[in-house]
Amino acid sequence: MQNLVVISLFLFTGFVSSFSAAYDFSEEQKRNVKLLMNASLHDDTGYRIVESLTTEVGPRLAGSEAEKRARDWAVRQFESLKFENVRVDTFSVPRWERGIETAEVTSPFPQKLSVTALGGSVATPADGVEGELHIFPNLGALKSMKNNAMAGKIVFVDESMARTQDGSGYAVAVAKRGQAAFEAHRVGAVAALIRSVGTSSHRFPHTGQMKSITDKNPGASVPAAALSAPDADQLARISHMSEHVRIKLILTPEVLPASTSGNVIAEIPGSKKDEEIVLIGAHLDSWDLGTGAVDDGAGVGIVMAAAHLINTTLQQRPRRTVRVVLFGAEEVGLVGAKSYTDTYQDQLDLHIVAAESDFGAGVIWRLGSANVAEEKHDVFTAVTEMLSPLKIIPGDNTSSGGPDMKYLKEAGVPIADLRQDGRDYFDLHHTADDTFDKVDPVKLRQNIAAYAAFVYLVADMEERFR
Ligand SMILES: [Zn+2]
């Protein structure tokens, strides 16, 4: 695999002169793009950053002492890589912590099940809850039940998720994670189980937040947990054989006093228009089960290394400032993203483009956008065409751009979406298996090459995209 990306670059070395697109990049810009791609495809800075974060900090749940250590780590990394204006913007975040989590079938075939509490779940009593199981094929079926129709039962939403390249299966499947515990309460159930939101067939459950931890009125809910896919299959089989399946569930998560989280920010100041900003981000927090390697250690490594290579490979810095933002408390409800948009409200007009890497470590195959003005589409496409040596194709102007881009996007900031191949992403997402060994250094380099080239171009060209 290692040489494929490198070879493909050389196959396309004639690319810079072959474009006659809607924008005339200067000879220097074309040369610099080539330099950046070559440097990135032979550099391990990004991979070492992911290794360092996942090894020296490990899991880093929002608001935890470990997330604080991650911020300290990030400041040290930025400083040693010679970034400027390194700072931490702190904010307060409610804090939830996992406790004991066990589940078992008590009859007709007693056996343990592999479960994990959903983020924000309330606790069961210390000795657990037990009830008769009722399976729903999807969230809609649970929602169609009358109030109290499931009194005393444990409801189980057994809805699977489609494996897709662009991750579109997630948006559909995640609805049950957000709503099952609240719907279960409405129908009188004592607990809710869901089939994990994920595509893995392995025996580990996928966690994830239910509603945003900052939601002041989430509504009443019951203890809620995700089952691994094979355990969900097992329950389905058992319930086919017996009308009365009983489940016992113990979950003891705690809500702790509000704690501190923060965004870590660093910059490569622009050489001519340093007040104008190209933002690239990733999130620093992770779930607690794995070490947050593909979610989102990889993104941290990609954006830090891309900006670092722009700063160290080229003779002159790009015209505009490259700002790297490592968002805190993403997983529990995009708390850092909201804080950033509030803090930099007065600068949002000066944000030329923003992008987040938060979809694992697969190769980038498409570059889409959002909020790019109609008359600027051709220019954005011309930028995309400069990335064709990396096998990246143009996307449309309706992209998400990553979770932490939500509020910037709502504020009208042009968003770029360097979309990774996510077919395997949800095999690992939010599980104990999200560890450093899953990151492929060659694929990571392709990501860094794409970010470095893209960020350099949009930071150096005079054009804006609004
Ligand atoms: Zn993420």
Side-chain angles (χ1 to χ4, degrees):
M1 280 305 287
Q2 168 144 354
N3 291 326
L4 279 181
V5 176
V6 178
I7 289 166
S8 67
L9 181 68
F10 290 114
L11 286 176
F12 282 84
T13 40
F15 78 99
V16 280
S17 53
S18 65
F19 290 141
S20 54
Y23 187 84
D24 279 332
F25 294 102
S26 70
E27 287 309 312
E28 189 193 0
Q29 286 170 333
K30 292 174 188 172
R31 237 187 350 264
N32 283 342
V33 163
K34 212 166 137 184
L35 272 174
L36 283 169
M37 286 187 185
N38 258 315
S40 306
L41 294 173
H42 294 91
D43 185 90
D44 267 343
T45 305
Y47 190 63
R48 293 301 156 213
I49 289 170
V50 188
E51 180 180 41
S52 172
L53 174 62
T54 55
T55 307
E56 294 165 44
V57 180
R60 43 202 184 273
L61 197 60
S64 67
E65 179 274 338
E67 199 201 28
K68 161 81 168 73
R69 280 191 283 119
R71 287 193 294 281
D72 296 343
W73 168 91
V75 167
R76 286 197 306 275
Q77 288 285 329
F78 278 130
E79 284 174 347
S80 74
L81 292 170
K82 306 277 186 279
F83 278 78
E84 295 181 30
N85 306 327
V86 180
R87 59 200 187 267
V88 181
D89 292 348
T90 57
F91 51 87
S92 172
V93 69
R95 196 171 155 213
W96 176 92
E97 205 172 84
R98 191 177 305 284
I100 295 165
E101 36 197 30
T102 65
E104 60 192 297
V105 177
T106 52
S107 81
F109 310 132
Q111 57 189 286
K112 288 185 173 159
L113 300 166
S114 167
V115 290
T116 193
L118 297 180
S121 171
V122 295
T124 63
D127 56 350
V129 290
E130 187 171 351
E132 192 171 312
L133 184 73
H134 191 101
I135 301 188
F136 293 91
N138 51 51
L139 179 67
L142 173 58
K143 289 176 91 164
S144 72
M145 300 301 293
K146 290 205 172 72
N147 290 354
N148 293 316
M150 292 285 122
K153 295 194 175 181
I154 291 179
V155 297
F156 169 35
V157 182
D158 189 13
E159 189 176 4
S160 57
M161 173 177 158
R163 186 184 293 276
T164 58
Q165 186 178 23
D166 63 2
S168 52
Y170 185 63
V172 182
V174 81
K176 70 173 186 283
R177 195 178 80 203
Q179 297 175 45
F182 302 90
E183 284 298 314
H185 184 275
R186 184 185 61 77
V187 300
V190 293
L193 296 172
I194 62 168
R195 176 184 284 266
S196 281
V197 178
T199 51
S200 170
S201 61
H202 288 266
R203 199 176 188 191
F204 45 65
H206 301 236
T207 189
Q209 191 69 15
M210 302 194 312
K211 287 188 180 174
S212 171
I213 203 158
T214 58
D215 191 332
K216 295 262 189 319
N217 296 300
S221 62
V222 296
L227 283 161
S228 83
D231 289 272
D233 294 343
Q234 182 82 327
L235 271 193
R237 272 192 302 275
I238 294 173
S239 70
H240 275 128
M241 293 178 185
S242 168
E243 273 185 49
H244 301 288
V245 179
R246 291 188 67 79
I247 301 287
K248 182 177 177 187
L249 181 70
I250 301 176
L251 299 177
T252 63
E254 277 184 273
V255 176
L256 302 171
S259 179
T260 301
S261 181
N263 299 326
V264 186
I265 300 176
E267 292 172 346
I268 308 294
S271 57
K272 294 195 180 69
K273 291 207 138 213
D274 65 351
E275 74 282 8
E276 295 190 350
I277 295 157
V278 173
L279 184 156
I280 47 174
H283 66 85
L284 195 53
D285 65 309
S286 77
W287 278 106
D288 52 343
L289 301 175
T291 59
V294 303
D295 188 13
D296 187 22
V300 171
I302 289 163
V303 296
M304 283 177 102
H308 167 69
L309 284 161
I310 289 170
N311 195 29
T312 53
T313 306
L314 307 179
Q315 288 196 329
Q316 191 182 24
R317 288 173 168 180
R319 288 158 42 85
R320 295 174 174 132
T321 293
V322 177
R323 177 179 288 176
V324 179
V325 182
L326 304 182
F327 295 95
E330 185 271 346
E331 294 290 5
V332 296
L334 313 179
V335 193
K338 182 76 173 67
S339 166
Y340 179 87
T341 312
D342 292 346
T343 305
Y344 295 96
Q345 197 67 41
D346 295 345
Q347 278 186 1
L348 295 186
D349 285 347
L350 295 167
H351 282 58
I352 303 303
V353 181
E356 181 179 35
S357 174
D358 181 23
F359 197 47
V363 292
I364 294 170
W365 62 282
R366 189 179 69 190
L367 172 52
S369 61
N371 291 341
V372 170
E374 185 85 44
E375 62 272 27
K376 299 296 174 83
H377 282 176
D378 288 352
V379 180
F380 193 86
T381 303
V383 177
T384 309
E385 284 172 348
M386 294 290 275
L387 304 189
S388 65
L390 299 170
K391 304 263 167 76
I392 295 170
I393 61 170
D396 62 23
N397 196 30
T398 61
S399 299
S400 82
D404 289 305
M405 298 296 101
K406 179 179 194 281
Y407 302 106
L408 291 172
K409 189 174 157 185
E410 287 173 5
V413 173
I415 302 292
D417 190 331
L418 292 97
R419 181 58 41 168
Q420 292 156 302
D421 184 339
R423 274 174 290 199
D424 300 338
Y425 181 57
F426 292 103
D427 290 344
L428 307 168
H429 186 250
H430 298 181
T431 73
D433 218 27
D434 179 2
T435 49
F436 177 64
D437 52 292
K438 311 304 185 303
V439 177
D440 179 330
V442 177
K443 291 179 180 173
L444 199 73
R445 285 186 209 136
Q446 187 262 7
N447 275 263
I448 294 163
Y451 268 87
F454 173 77
V455 169
Y456 161 70
L457 284 172
V458 294
D460 201 59
M461 63 201 292
E462 299 211 12
E463 206 77 37
R464 298 177 60 140
F465 300 95
R466 305 199 188 208

